[in-house]
Amino acid sequence: MSDRVAHRRALQAERHVDLEARIGRLLSPLGGDERALDVGCGTGALAYALAPLVGEVVGVDSSEEYLAAAREDAPDNCTFVLGDAEALPFPYGDFDLVGCLRVLHHVARPELVVSEIARVTRPGGRLLIADQLGDVDPMRSLELDRFERARDPSHTRLLPDADIRGYLDANDLIVTANEIVRERRDMETYLDLVGLEGEERERIARMAPPVHEVEIGWYLARKQ
């Protein structure tokens, strides 16, 4: 296991209790027999949090390394498969619940991801999207994107609240709950997550905001 994956799994374990509690509160009530999908599952954070609440969870990701890590300690009702979030390998309406946690700012076409999430959700099913938000000030948002891309080249663009709501609305998805949560990040841990070392780590650290506090938007929506 690479250091990058090990750091990611350690942070996942640290956040698990809080994530499970938030998921349970946002999604309540659940029947317990739902079929759920975690899009861009990484090492399985959302899938693990959903597992005790539903009947089955499928995680999909484009990284075999992340999938291998997710499978190591997976709950019995979780399976993980290789796939592209912009072209999900599932038929229409295949899931009762679809989640996407901190993924949209890593994809070239976030609108396609939201469209695919909507496609594989059954009519009447629910969708949960959570992601770091862009700043309402476009210049500040550009500066933050510059730092995030330097830290992690897989970063594309932080979406403001209005863009995420627009993607949901374009797919006839009705937002039923929304929370915006402030998250303060420890910079050393944040740089560890992408395996930065030596002079490059020092260079990126100098680009970081003095206080790295971000907003995470949580959106629960229903498919008509």
Side-chain angles (χ1 to χ4, degrees):
M1 181 186 299
S2 69
D3 287 346
R4 177 172 179 156
V5 172
H7 287 308
R8 186 173 293 272
R9 291 196 67 188
L11 183 60
Q12 176 177 320
E14 179 184 318
R15 290 174 169 173
H16 176 76
V17 172
D18 288 344
L19 177 60
E20 187 174 17
R22 183 179 298 279
I23 294 299
R25 177 173 52 78
L26 282 170
L27 295 178
S28 181
L30 284 166
D33 59 351
E34 291 87 355
R35 186 167 192 248
L37 175 66
D38 177 4
V39 176
C41 64
T43 54
L46 180 58
Y48 285 23
L50 286 170
L53 306 174
V54 301
E56 177 190 4
V57 186
V58 179
V60 60
D61 201 276
S62 59
S63 167
E64 287 280 17
E65 184 182 23
Y66 285 165
L67 292 171
R71 293 183 185 114
E72 282 190 13
D73 300 307
D76 291 342
N77 62 340
C78 288
T79 57
F80 295 93
V81 299
L82 188 68
D84 181 356
E86 296 179 1
L88 293 170
F90 307 106
Y92 175 86
D94 205 25
F95 296 91
D96 304 298
L97 171 66
V98 182
C100 183
L101 178 62
R102 303 176 191 252
V103 172
L104 296 184
H105 67 276
H106 286 294
V107 296
R109 299 284 303 277
E111 74 280 7
L112 289 184
V113 175
V114 177
S115 179
E116 279 292 275
I117 289 172
R119 180 183 66 80
V120 301
T121 304
R122 68 166 175 82
R126 293 189 291 173
L127 305 87
L128 178 66
I129 292 176
D131 207 17
Q132 181 178 338
L133 298 177
D135 198 284
V136 292
D137 180 339
M139 296 307 296
R140 288 176 63 187
S141 201
L142 282 171
E143 189 64 21
L144 185 53
D145 278 330
R146 177 174 168 270
F147 162 69
E148 294 288 1
R149 272 193 294 271
R151 170 190 165 270
D152 180 0
S154 74
H155 179 93
T156 54
R157 180 174 74 93
L158 294 172
L159 300 170
D161 172 75
D163 283 21
I164 295 177
R165 288 180 176 276
Y167 296 153
L168 294 170
D169 185 62
N171 287 279
D172 295 323
L173 303 169
I174 306 301
V175 176
T176 58
N178 171 229
E179 295 179 357
I180 296 179
V181 180
R182 297 194 71 82
E183 179 178 282
R184 190 161 185 159
R185 289 178 173 160
D186 176 77
M187 188 52 60
E188 294 303 313
T189 300
Y190 198 51
L191 297 177
D192 284 344
L193 282 174
V194 291
L196 284 171
E197 297 178 344
E199 292 182 2
E200 182 67 2
R201 182 187 181 100
E202 294 176 7
R203 183 182 72 84
I204 302 304
R206 288 194 295 270
M207 296 173 61
V211 177
H212 196 32
E213 190 172 76
V214 301
E215 290 185 333
I216 308 297
W218 294 80
Y219 304 83
L220 181 64
R222 184 176 296 277
K223 182 174 178 178
Q224 300 187 70

